[in-house]
Structures are given as C-alpha cells and as structure tokens.
Amino acid sequence: IAGITQAPTSQILAAGRRMTLRCTQDMRHNAMYWYRQDLGLGLRLIHYSNTAGTTGKGEVPDGYSVSRANTDDFPLTLASAVPSQTSVYFCASSDSGSGGGEQFFGPGTRLTVL
Amino acid sequence: GQNIDQPTEMTATEGAIVQINCTYQTSGFNGLFWYQQHAGEAPTFLSYNVLDGLEEKGRFSSFLSRSKGYSYLLLKELQMKDSASYLCAVSDSNYQLIWGAGTKLIIKP
C-alpha cells in the first residue's frame, strides 16, 4: 500500500441498508478525516480522529459513525442509509491534527443511495 | 458563521496567467491551503500560507493578506493539464479545515 486507500470505489445501496466505507493509510499519520463532497458545495467534514482511540464530530456527523482502533484504519459506517447520503466520500490523513499539516486524500468512494 | 468564497468558474487561455481569488471569514485562523482537484479524482495539495505575503512554487504562487481575509492563487504559463478545480481551505481555531466550493478552471487552446 502506498499512501491512503479507500474501498469500495463505488457502491449503489438501497435505502435503509447498513454500509461501511473503508479507509487505510500506511503513512503512520496521527490524524484522519472523513469528508463528503457534493456538487456546488465545499468538502464537508463528517468525523475526524486526531489520534488512535479518539474521534470527534465534524460539520455533518448525523447518520454516520466512525471508529479508530489503530493508527492505520478509519472506517465510516452509515447505520441506515438515506438518499441524502448520496455523495462522494473522501478519507484523508495528516501528520498532525494541530494545524499546518497538509492533508493527503484517498481516491474517494462514490456512493448512491436509492 | 464561517464562510469561504471563491468564483465558481473561470476560463483562461493556454500560456496565459490566471488569478483565482478566495475570501474568508472564519472563527480563528491557522493557515490557508490551496488544493487542486481534477475531475473524478482526489484533491492534491498545492500550497500553504500562514503569514502575509507571497509564496512561490514553480508556476504556482499563493498570496495571503490576513487583515483582509483574502488569498489568491496565481498560475503562470497555463497548460491544458491545469484544467481542474482549485479549492481554497482555511484552518480554523480548532485546526479544522473549512473548504470553499472550489473554482473550476477551464483552459482553452
């Protein structure tokens, strides 16, 4: 693995289903982030983790949950998907959660909820 | 509230120079980032400014004025591969990035 990976690349999901988006980084970065990107809007932070074992809520956390059991992995779970969660999801990581740190992005997951 | 403003779309000619502006109002300021995002791809880091002034990096330069809440990204000697969206983001008082909606730059031959 080189950098940050996400899976799946894309997914079509029925409303009400549970879905976990996977994110793994091999850069040993402390901080990780989940964003959603919708047409005409900036990236919006869903959840973040400044270090393994801790997580925090971003701007749009409702309907999503995360865990950070170790440094490398930061999965995002939709407990019961709704059509408004149709979006492109990006996972990112940075060396430090305390400013100045460039964020490195995964390739994204395109999710469609019907 | 927190707000990042940048033009939705700009058009420029190959070989020319283009300036993409970004204005911001945020709760606190811990630096401003510019990212490039090609269609269907992830954003990639271009520049970071935390002090006033101009940072030059090859064909790309970024300027910051904290007193005016203003930054610009300057792209010189435009190439077709520069066609992309350019995202402005500010690190706020909690060190979270607040993102603008992005400026789609179209390069014409």
Side-chain angles (χ1 to χ4, degrees), chain B residues 38-109:
Chain B
H38 285 100
E41 298 183 7
T44 56
F45 171 81
L46 287 177
S47 68
Y48 171 68
N49 295 67
V50 67
L51 300 176
D52 289 353
L54 188 68
E55 294 278 344
E56 296 186 79
K57 192 184 293 186
R59 294 189 298 115
F60 292 7
S61 303
S62 57
F63 172 84
L64 175 67
S65 169
R66 289 172 296 171
S67 63
K68 295 182 179 178
Y70 168 70
S71 172
Y72 67 73
L73 181 69
L74 191 72
L75 292 74
K76 302 176 185 176
E77 301 170 16
L78 287 170
Q79 302 175 10
M80 297 303 293
K81 68 179 182 180
D82 297 330
S83 292
S85 289
Y86 291 86
L87 314 181
C88 174
V90 171
S91 178
D92 70 6
S93 57
N94 295 317
Y95 296 99
Q96 299 299 341
L97 290 188
I98 309 300
W99 295 81
T103 298
K104 183 178 180 180
L105 178 63
I106 299 168
I107 309 296
K108 295 186 174 180

Side-chain angles (χ1 to χ4, degrees), chain A residues 35 37 42 45 98-99 102-103 106, chain B residues 35 37 42 45 95-96 99-100:
Chain A
Y35 292 96
Q37 187 175 41
L45 183 65
S98 58
E102 169 191 351
Q103 291 188 12
Chain B
Y35 280 76
Q37 185 177 26
F45 171 81
Y95 296 99
Q96 299 299 341
W99 295 81

Side-chain angles (χ1 to χ4, degrees), chain A residues 3 6 9-10 15 22 27 38 42 46 52 58-59 61 67 75 82-83 87-88 95 97-98 103 105 108 111:
Chain A
Q6 294 183 234
T9 302
S10 65
R22 299 184 298 280
M27 298 175 283
D38 302 289
I46 304 170
E59 180 187 354
S67 61
V82 295
S87 188
V88 179
D95 195 30
S98 58
Q103 291 188 12
F105 284 79
L111 181 67

Side-chain angles (χ1 to χ4, degrees), chain A residues 2-101:
Chain A
I4 185 165
T5 60
Q6 294 183 234
T9 302
S10 65
Q11 182 75 44
I12 298 174
L13 189 66
R17 296 296 295 270
R18 180 183 179 89
M19 175 74 191
T20 295
L21 308 185
R22 299 184 298 280
C23 175
T24 299
Q25 54 106 356
D26 66 353
M27 298 175 283
R28 309 302 295 172
H29 284 170
N30 286 321
M32 296 187 75
Y33 312 85
W34 273 106
Y35 292 96
R36 60 178 291 172
Q37 187 175 41
D38 302 289
L39 198 63
L41 299 177
L43 288 160
R44 290 184 292 169
L45 183 65
I46 304 170
H47 284 287
Y48 66 93
S49 169
N50 285 334
T51 189
T54 69
T55 63
K57 293 181 179 180
E59 180 187 354
V60 289
D62 294 343
Y64 305 95
S65 63
V66 292
S67 61
R68 187 87 185 277
N70 57 60
T71 297
D72 298 345
D73 301 299
F74 191 44
L76 176 74
T77 297
L78 288 69
S80 179
V82 295
S84 61
Q85 292 178 311
T86 293
S87 188
V88 179
Y89 290 86
F90 287 103
C91 179
S93 70
S94 69
D95 195 30
S96 170
S98 58

